[in-house]
Amino acid sequence: MFIFLSPKLLKGQVSFGLNVGINQSWMQYRDPAGHSAEDNKPLTRFNADFLVTVPLIGGLYVVPAVRYITKGANLTVGGDGEFTRRLEVRYLEIPVNLTYKVPVSFGRLTVGVGPYTAYGLNGNNRMQVYDAGNVVSTTDYDVEFSSRVNKGIYPGTRLNRWDVGAQVTAGVEFNNLLMVGIHYSRGIRNLDMSGNSTIRNNSIGLSLGILLNREDY
């Protein structure tokens, strides 16, 4: 018991770090009319991480994190852009990666893979209607995570609060404790609770961070 409670014994075994970054997200989206958002402009937002690095054996580590991230999509519908929809949902996400680190002269190269679970905090859906290239109306809806009919991003569509998926990461940890990285995540759960549409999250992001300590020191 004393081993797990002693900070002195934990020092050099577990490290902590902070990341901030920018991510672009899009959705595998298809509604009852067959409209898809997969090829439309991605949504660009910021994210922030707190991560923990736990050594396993050799250069292998398990790296859980807590991440605040916004995901969504920009959808344009109609032959001449009759209306646009911007859907965004803010999540508290917990990725857990199995990460391998390779020592180099300036630090360590890292690559990781693992699952993530995300909890939807809130979100919004903005719809703009166009006529001859001009916006004639704008309507904002709150995203509600509900199993009740007619509660959601629009009547008949309801989002699941929980998202599940997988991600891959790659990056560099420099000797001065700075780190840069890239991640790609893909949701595997259909978030539409109404059964009408298919909605899955996708995201790619760049991050800049700092290690508060190194587990190999």
Side-chain angles (χ1 to χ4, degrees):
M1 179 67 72
F2 177 76
I3 293 177
F4 294 102
L5 295 178
S6 172
K8 290 184 179 181
L9 291 177
L10 284 176
K11 184 178 181 181
Q13 299 299 312
V14 176
S15 69
F16 304 92
L18 298 172
N19 271 330
V20 293
I22 188 169
N23 68 281
Q24 289 193 323
S25 62
W26 63 100
M27 287 181 166
Q28 296 172 281
Y29 178 96
R30 188 171 296 278
D31 67 14
H35 300 129
S36 172
E38 295 183 38
D39 297 324
N40 284 262
K41 184 178 178 181
L43 184 72
T44 303
R45 292 293 184 269
F46 291 98
N47 60 270
D49 306 354
F50 173 76
L51 55 92
V52 181
T53 300
V54 182
L56 294 179
I57 184 173
L60 198 61
Y61 302 79
V62 60
V63 184
V66 177
R67 172 180 296 152
Y68 176 81
I69 188 170
T70 300
K71 296 182 180 181
N74 288 290
L75 171 65
T76 301
V77 180
D80 191 25
E82 295 173 357
F83 69 85
T84 61
R85 178 181 295 130
R86 186 191 70 204
L87 173 63
E88 55 183 295
V89 183
R90 288 164 283 279
Y91 289 97
L92 187 65
E93 186 173 282
I94 301 179
V96 181
N97 293 318
L98 189 63
T99 300
Y100 189 73
K101 301 186 180 186
V102 180
V104 292
S105 60
F106 50 85
R108 293 184 296 184
L109 305 179
T110 70
V111 60
V113 61
Y116 76 81
T117 300
Y119 178 82
L121 300 172
N122 53 57
N124 60 278
N125 177 49
R126 166 167 289 189
M127 183 178 293
Q128 293 182 311
V129 179
Y130 287 79
D131 182 22
N134 299 313
V135 177
V136 295
S137 69
T138 299
T139 308
D140 289 307
Y141 302 90
D142 289 333
V143 171
E144 296 188 31
F145 308 99
S146 172
S147 60
R148 293 175 295 170
V149 177
N150 295 334
K151 292 289 185 180
I153 60 173
Y154 58 85
T157 298
R158 304 177 301 281
L159 295 185
N160 197 309
R161 187 180 293 274
W162 290 96
D163 184 25
V164 178
Q167 73 165 17
V168 294
T169 66
V172 180
E173 295 179 356
F174 295 99
N175 290 326
N176 62 4
L177 301 185
L178 291 178
M179 54 185 174
V180 295
I182 184 171
H183 75 268
Y184 168 74
S185 67
R186 186 177 182 89
I188 61 176
R189 187 175 197 179
N190 183 5
L191 303 178
D192 176 32
M193 296 181 68
S194 70
N196 293 327
S197 305
T198 299
I199 303 173
R200 293 188 176 93
N201 280 320
N202 296 272
S203 177
I204 186 169
L206 295 170
S207 63
L208 174 66
I210 185 169
L211 290 167
L212 304 181
N213 64 305
R214 280 267 295 266
E215 73 283 342
D216 58 341
Y217 282 3

